[in-house]
Amino acid sequence: MGISERIKKLLDYKGVTPYTVSINTRISQATLSRILKNSTAKPSMGTIELLAKYFGTTPDWILTGRGEMIQEQADVASTHNRIRYWVDVDATAGGVTLFDDQVTTKYIDLDIPEFRDCTDAVNLYGDSMLPLYKSGQIIILKEWMESFIDYGNVYLVITKKGNRMVKYLRKGSDAQHVLCVSENKDFDPFEIEKDDILRLYLVKGGISKNTL
């Protein structure tokens, strides 16, 4: 059994699709597809570590099959309430900035009880969300998995065109569009196509780096 077969076994065990893995690990769907289709594929160590953390196994099991497929539940549960602070990923509160979709392993586990339902944290830059969120803060995120948008909340929006922004989302001019609104009134609202949205993260709060 090779790496691809072991990853397929993990997918079956957890009952998830490669798409679900992608949106929860930041591993691109193209990378996962390449690994699953090629039995001789050799993923990067960063990819292996992200997969191991997500599935609750070890990098060694994915690489070699040695040891137990799934770690003890106590070990796995200890990571459930931790927030991954992606230290080299930025969100933009300003215009629209190109999103770097490359796999990164540079994250720090944060344990913040007030945000126990959140999963990720990134740096925020730009002034469009002042005074609600300031440039240089870390914003705490919860991936929005619903099929609808809860309008009126602040989201980190990642589009299929590779852009990202932090905005209030409100109903657009028609059912096919969403209105992106800034807190700072110096920034004009604009619309994007709803079908262009790749991922949404609900912004649950922000913290200053000097509080870490």
Side-chain angles (χ1 to χ4, degrees):
M1 182 185 294
I3 292 174
S4 62
E5 287 76 15
R6 282 189 285 275
I7 293 174
K8 290 174 184 176
K9 190 173 181 179
L10 288 167
L11 289 168
D12 291 339
Y13 177 84
K14 195 158 185 174
V16 295
T17 65
Y19 173 75
T20 300
V21 176
S22 175
I23 63 177
N24 282 282
T25 63
R26 299 179 182 272
I27 300 172
S28 70
Q29 293 184 63
T31 296
L32 285 172
S33 178
R34 184 169 61 252
I35 295 169
L36 293 170
K37 290 179 179 179
N38 185 355
S39 60
T40 62
K42 294 182 179 179
S44 70
M45 196 60 201
T47 297
I48 293 295
E49 288 174 350
L50 287 172
L51 288 170
K53 187 175 182 67
Y54 175 75
F55 284 111
T57 186
T58 64
D60 191 48
W61 187 88
I62 294 176
L63 287 168
T64 68
R66 290 194 295 262
E68 298 294 327
M69 182 178 79
I70 300 298
Q71 293 179 291
E72 294 294 327
Q73 282 303 114
D75 294 338
V76 176
S78 66
T79 66
H80 282 181
N81 292 331
R82 293 192 176 274
I83 297 169
R84 297 170 297 183
Y85 168 37
W86 300 90
V87 296
D88 58 355
V89 175
D90 300 335
T92 302
V96 177
T97 298
L98 187 64
F99 183 69
D100 181 1
D101 197 33
Q102 294 183 350
V103 174
T104 176
T105 60
K106 296 179 181 178
Y107 67 85
I108 300 170
D109 278 330
L110 302 180
D111 188 3
I112 310 175
E114 292 82 358
F115 297 107
R116 61 175 53 89
D117 63 335
C118 296
T119 57
D120 297 275
V122 297
N123 302 304
L124 178 70
Y125 294 105
D127 297 327
S128 75
M129 296 306 292
L130 284 173
L132 183 62
Y133 297 115
K134 299 178 181 179
S135 184
Q137 280 188 305
I138 299 168
I139 51 173
I140 311 299
L141 308 170
K142 178 181 180 181
E143 186 162 12
W144 187 252
M145 303 296 291
E146 305 293 343
S147 59
F148 62 91
I149 297 174
D150 189 9
Y151 290 109
N153 290 310
V154 179
Y155 293 88
L156 167 61
V157 183
I158 301 174
T159 73
K160 294 176 182 176
K161 293 185 174 71
N163 299 312
R164 56 185 168 164
M165 54 225 157
V166 174
K167 302 290 178 187
Y168 287 104
L169 293 189
R170 294 176 181 160
K171 290 184 178 180
S173 57
D174 55 43
Q176 285 72 48
H177 290 83
V178 175
L179 185 66
C180 300
V181 181
S182 301
E183 179 80 13
N184 187 340
K185 301 310 178 186
D186 290 338
F187 291 79
D188 294 330
F190 58 89
E191 287 191 328
I192 60 173
E193 293 182 2
K194 188 180 293 185
D195 286 344
D196 190 35
I197 297 174
L198 176 64
R199 299 179 193 168
L200 285 179
Y201 292 85
L202 187 63
V203 179
K204 299 295 291 286
I207 57 176
S208 298
K209 291 181 182 179
N210 60 8
T211 65
L212 289 179

